[in-house]
Amino acid sequence: MQQVYELGAATGCRAHVVHCSNGRGYEICRSFREQGFAATIEACLHYLVLCEEDDVARLKGRAKVNPPIRGKAEREKIWQHLAAGNVTVVSTDHVSWSADRKDNPDMLANASGATGLELLQALLLDGALARGVDLRRLAQVLAYNPARLFSLQGQKGALEVGCDADLVVLHHAPYTYFAKDSGHNFTDWCPYDGRTVNHRVARTMLRGQWVFADGEVLAEPGTGQFVRPQELRRGS
C-alpha cells in the first residue's frame, strides 16, 4: 500500500486501494491524504461484519475472500476509521459463486469472493447504530464519496440541486435473512444467512421514479442510463 500511494505521489495521479482488511492500511492512506495527495481507500462489507473468530470456521469456503477475513480487533479498527472519516467507500465485492464453487473441504480449492449486495445498506446501518457511528458517514461512503471517486459529482451521490433524485428508504423491521428466500439473488446462499438483520430496504428511487418498492422491482428493462465522468465530459 505504501508503494501504491508513493507511486501516486510521485506521478501526481490519484491512488486508490481496494479491499483493505486491516486498520493499518487506513492509517497509511490517511497519512498520504494529510500530506495533500489524492489517496483513497475502499472497505468491504464482509470486513465490517464478519470476523475470523466467529465466522470463518463456521462458513468454511463460503468465507474465502481476498484478502482474508480478519479478527475482531481488526474489524473494530475499520469501524473506528469509518467513524473518523478515513474510509472513502464501502462496497460488497459481490460475487455470485454457486455453492459448489465454495463448499470444497480444501479451502484453497474454493473460489474467492462472496455475495452481499442486497444487505449492504442494511448491515452497514445496523453496525453503525450498534457502535454509535454518525449516520452521515454512511451517506458519505455509500453515495457522496463513490460519486466523486468515479467523477460523477454534480449528477450523482448527493441531495443537491441539479443532481439526480436517487434515494433509498430503509425501515426498521428485524428479520432472519436467507438469500434463497429473498427472490433477488442469483445464488441461494450468502455468508450472512441466518443473521438477524434489523433494517430492510423498503423503496429505491432513481431519477425521481420509484424503481423498487415492497420487495418488487418496478423498473422496466432499459431504465438505466450511461453517465459520463466529468473529466471526459470536459474533454469532449
Side-chain angles (χ1 to χ4, degrees):
M1 290 184 64
Q2 291 273 11
Q3 186 176 28
V4 169
Y5 290 130
E6 284 290 355
L7 285 170
T11 60
C13 293
R14 296 190 299 177
H16 181 64
V17 169
V18 302
H19 297 16
C20 182
S21 62
N22 59 74
R24 175 63 179 152
Y26 297 91
E27 294 169 7
I28 292 171
C29 180
R30 179 183 60 185
S31 172
F32 278 85
R33 192 169 59 253
E34 289 176 346
Q35 295 174 65
F37 300 113
T40 52
I41 191 166
E42 174 216 48
C44 292
L45 181 66
H46 41 263
Y47 300 132
L48 289 157
V49 176
L50 305 176
C51 68
E52 185 176 7
E53 296 92 331
D54 295 339
D55 302 298
V56 175
R58 173 178 60 85
L59 292 169
K60 301 181 174 64
R62 299 188 179 197
K64 183 183 177 184
V65 294
N66 287 327
I69 302 297
R70 308 297 183 182
K72 287 182 180 179
E74 291 296 341
R75 180 185 67 186
E76 296 310 311
K77 286 180 182 178
I78 300 175
W79 273 106
Q80 291 167 13
H81 281 291
L82 193 154
N86 298 327
V87 177
T88 311
V89 295
V90 175
S91 73
T92 64
D93 186 32
H94 186 94
V95 182
S96 295
W97 291 117
S98 56
D100 64 299
R101 298 293 305 275
K102 299 291 286 183
D103 288 341
N104 194 308
D106 178 5
M107 176 68 89
L108 297 180
N110 289 299
S112 294
T115 59
L117 184 59
E118 186 172 40
L119 293 177
L120 173 60
Q121 292 148 327
L123 286 181
L124 207 60
L125 178 58
D126 284 356
L129 290 173
R131 295 167 175 83
V133 176
D134 189 334
L135 298 187
R136 289 174 295 184
R137 291 296 188 201
L138 303 192
Q140 287 179 329
V141 299
L142 293 176
Y144 190 82
N145 289 347
R148 279 148 182 77
L149 186 65
F150 290 98
S151 299
L152 303 177
Q153 65 271 23
Q155 182 171 351
K156 295 292 182 181
L159 295 177
E160 298 174 346
V161 175
C163 287
D164 291 346
D166 300 336
L167 298 170
V168 175
V169 178
L170 293 95
H171 63 203
H172 185 263
Y175 71 107
T176 302
Y177 178 82
F178 287 97
K180 64 181 180 180
D181 297 333
S182 78
H184 301 295
N185 289 292
F186 182 75
T187 59
D188 61 358
W189 72 275
C190 178
Y192 311 112
D193 280 345
R195 181 179 295 269
T196 297
V197 183
N198 293 318
H199 293 85
R200 187 193 297 264
V201 173
R203 285 177 172 264
T204 304
M205 176 181 284
L206 173 64
R207 298 190 302 275
Q209 301 294 321
W210 295 114
V211 294
F212 178 85
D214 303 321
E216 298 295 329
V217 176
L218 307 179
E220 295 293 333
T223 300
Q225 294 181 4
F226 179 78
V227 181
R228 186 175 296 276
Q230 289 216 5
E231 282 84 356
L232 296 180
R233 192 180 301 142
R234 287 198 299 267
S236 60

